[in-house]
């Protein structure tokens, strides 16, 4: 076999093996800790209610489990406390929901697939000193939750279950 064909073959084999190894895994991304926006709806947003009250909403991708979405919302709540120099906080209410997206047809052809994203809305109260034992340190909580989010690996079966749950809530085929 000529040297150039052998070199080409040795390049192709590892690439094919890598691609084949990924074929059986769920490549859907999960939401990361970051602000949401028009182009990237997964992430967090917040609404200030008063100097010591916020609502924080987190939205996942279709493959993001509720527990991770809630962790993102609570991590952002803790981060707000750190930023606002409010040392303690507690979550007073958690609401789960789903945002359903319809299929969009483009006038020049093509379309987007229908989608579904799970959401979590948390109500948060802050204090400079803990009012009772249910208040936790914003700094310690943020550091812990941020570390967990950065190191968390969501198994493919949990991604698939999250996607199926969100689609079912929107009445979309799974």
């Amino acid at each position: 076999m000529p040297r150039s064909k052998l070199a080409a073959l040795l390049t192709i084999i590892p690439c094919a093996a890598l691609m084949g190894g990924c074929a059986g895994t769920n490549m859907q991304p999960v939401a990361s800790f970051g602000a949401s926006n028009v182009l990237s709806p997964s992430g967090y947003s917040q609404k200030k209610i008063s100097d010591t009250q916020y609502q924080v909403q987190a939205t996942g991708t279709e493959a993001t489990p509720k527990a991770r979405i809630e962790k993102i919302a609570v991590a952002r709540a803790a981060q707000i406390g750190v930023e606002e120099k409010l040392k303690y906080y507690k979550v007073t209410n958690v609401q789960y929901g789903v945002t359903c997206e319809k299929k969009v047809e483009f006038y020049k052809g093509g379309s987007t697939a229908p989608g579904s994203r799970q959401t979590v809305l948390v109500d948060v109260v802050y204090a400079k000193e803990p009012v009772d034992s249910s208040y936790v340190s914003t700094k310690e909580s943020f550091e812990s939750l941020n570390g967990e989010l950065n190191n968390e690996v969501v198994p493919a079966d949990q991604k698939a279950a999250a996607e199926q749950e969100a689609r079912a809530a929107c009445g979309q085929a799974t």
Side-chain angles (χ1 to χ4, degrees):
M1 182 176 291
R3 193 172 181 90
S4 61
K5 285 187 180 181
L6 180 61
L9 186 60
L10 290 175
T11 303
I12 292 171
I13 292 173
C15 291
L18 284 173
M19 291 174 71
C22 294
T25 63
N26 184 339
M27 298 299 288
Q28 288 280 20
V30 294
S32 59
F33 183 72
S36 63
N37 60 51
V38 175
L39 298 175
S40 178
S42 65
Y44 60 75
S45 62
Q46 69 267 345
K47 177 178 164 184
K48 186 175 184 175
I49 308 299
S50 72
D51 287 342
T52 59
Q53 291 180 304
Y54 277 77
Q55 279 189 328
V56 179
Q57 180 169 349
T59 303
T61 64
E62 285 189 339
T64 308
K66 280 183 193 176
R68 182 170 175 86
I69 301 168
E70 184 176 347
K71 195 180 292 183
I72 290 169
V74 176
R76 177 58 184 152
Q79 186 180 41
I80 290 169
V82 171
E83 291 171 353
E84 299 294 321
K85 296 181 179 32
L86 298 165
K87 294 182 179 182
Y88 298 92
Y89 79 110
K90 75 173 179 178
V91 174
T92 59
N93 188 34
V94 178
Q95 296 174 8
Y96 298 98
V98 177
T99 299
C100 303
E101 300 161 349
K102 295 180 180 180
K103 177 180 180 179
V104 176
E105 300 275 343
F106 300 113
Y107 76 96
K108 288 189 174 184
S111 65
T112 63
S116 52
R117 297 171 177 274
Q118 295 193 60
T119 62
V120 175
L121 179 70
V122 295
D123 295 323
V124 186
V125 177
Y126 298 91
K128 292 194 185 259
E129 296 299 324
V131 177
D132 59 45
S133 62
S134 63
Y135 282 78
V136 292
S137 165
T138 56
K139 183 179 179 184
E140 291 173 12
S141 179
F142 175 66
E143 288 172 356
S144 173
L145 290 168
N146 192 39
E148 288 177 30
L149 287 166
N150 287 333
N151 295 313
E152 185 173 50
V153 175
V154 179
D157 62 328
Q158 288 181 15
K159 288 180 182 183
E163 188 172 350
Q164 186 174 9
E165 183 179 349
R167 287 184 175 275
C170 290
Q172 298 168 351
T174 55

